[in-house]
Amino acid sequence: MAYNGLIEKYGSFLNLPKHTKTISLLEGNTPLIPAPNLAKYFGLKFELFIKYEGLNPTGSFKDRGMTAAVSEAAGRESHTVICASTGNTAASAAAYAARANIKSIVLIPQGKVATGKLAGAIAYGAQVVQIDGSFDDALTMVVDISNKHPICLVNSINPYRIEGQKTSAFEICDTLGNAPDVLCIPVGNAGNITSYWAGFQQYHQAKGTQLPVILGVQAEGAAPLVLGHPVEKPETIATAIRIGKPARGEQALEAADQSGGNITAVSDDEILHMQKQLAGLEGIWVEPASVAGLAGLYKQTKNGTFDPSGKTIVAVCTGHGMKDPDIITRGFGHPQVISPNIAALEKVIL
Ligand SMILES: *Cc1c(COP(=O)(O)O)cnc(C)c1O
């Protein structure tokens, strides 16, 4: 049977209202890629898979939740959607709104959005507004304005976002024939970790699959769930998780706790190091925030707080590397220039 998107495939597992009118870009169905070279780099014997969410239509997992949220909005003839975004939500909302013939407005923190994300939002036709403030300020603003005017909020506070994002957990179980032993995942506003846990629990009840241990990972400069209090001025190169006051923080802590896992933090250097290892050892290039889960797993493995031996582990890699090309090219300078002849080429490559 042809693949017709997530709502077609998993609709019976999603709590969406009757009026929902499917708006799909055939999102989801992303590959679960074995990563044996990276597992070897860890120095222990275990099975590692990358759930490569950068291969969604707009380059991040946000499309899973957005197909649900925009389909619900379109079904009740909402004319405008709005979101606060560090970039990927903006691009995704703009794309699905375009397809539904709905206006989209996105609020982004000034100067802190990666090139590929901003370009996406503009290309899909969103009205882009910069806030002289943080993501958390922008989120407060869109919540207030959507309470005041008939504008549909599509941040992950929207329950349909969570419904849609559960599908990644379903796909992992369907591919492996069971849930993994461990799932590691980046945590920003905490909608995604909440969704995975809900999805795994639902499949556990419906299909008897096991429940994985969830390891959630934040960036050290934006780690409110590790510190136990909001962070006023979050800072990290991993802009997608540069969030100081996660909307679903409580649920994230609950998910980690109930699953027997935890939420930890990694430094920007640890994130960049893992981004390089994943690209160099496996040919999978993801944006910095996307490797936070893997970087956290590596850190816990190295300092002995977690032993992956013999386990099946899935690392969720949330967005494509092309979203944030500057982070790579910035450190590289310019490629070497040579004369246009074989002798010059031989000199530099042999
Ligand atoms: C949104 C996003 C995250 C964080 O997800 P939350 O649901 O906010 O925790 C991580 N990585 C990427 C690439 C994202 O776009």
Side-chain angles (χ1 to χ4, degrees), residues 60-62 88 186-192 240-241 243 287 289-290 318-319:
S60 84
F61 75 84
K62 298 299 198 299
N88 283 332
V187 177
N189 212 24
N192 213 25
I241 53 173
I243 292 171
E287 69 166 281
S290 300
T318 42

Side-chain angles (χ1 to χ4, degrees), residues 321-347:
M322 285 189 271
K323 288 280 192 169
D324 192 357
D326 305 339
I327 204 86
I328 303 293
T329 50
R330 194 187 300 159
F332 184 72
H334 293 285
Q336 190 173 17
V337 180
I338 60 165
S339 309
N341 62 68
I342 296 271
L345 182 60
E346 282 172 340
K347 201 166 160 208

Side-chain angles (χ1 to χ4, degrees), residues 109-128:
Q110 186 180 16
K112 298 291 184 183
V113 169
T115 316
K117 305 180 187 182
L118 180 58
I122 296 167
Y124 301 125
Q127 181 176 356
V128 180

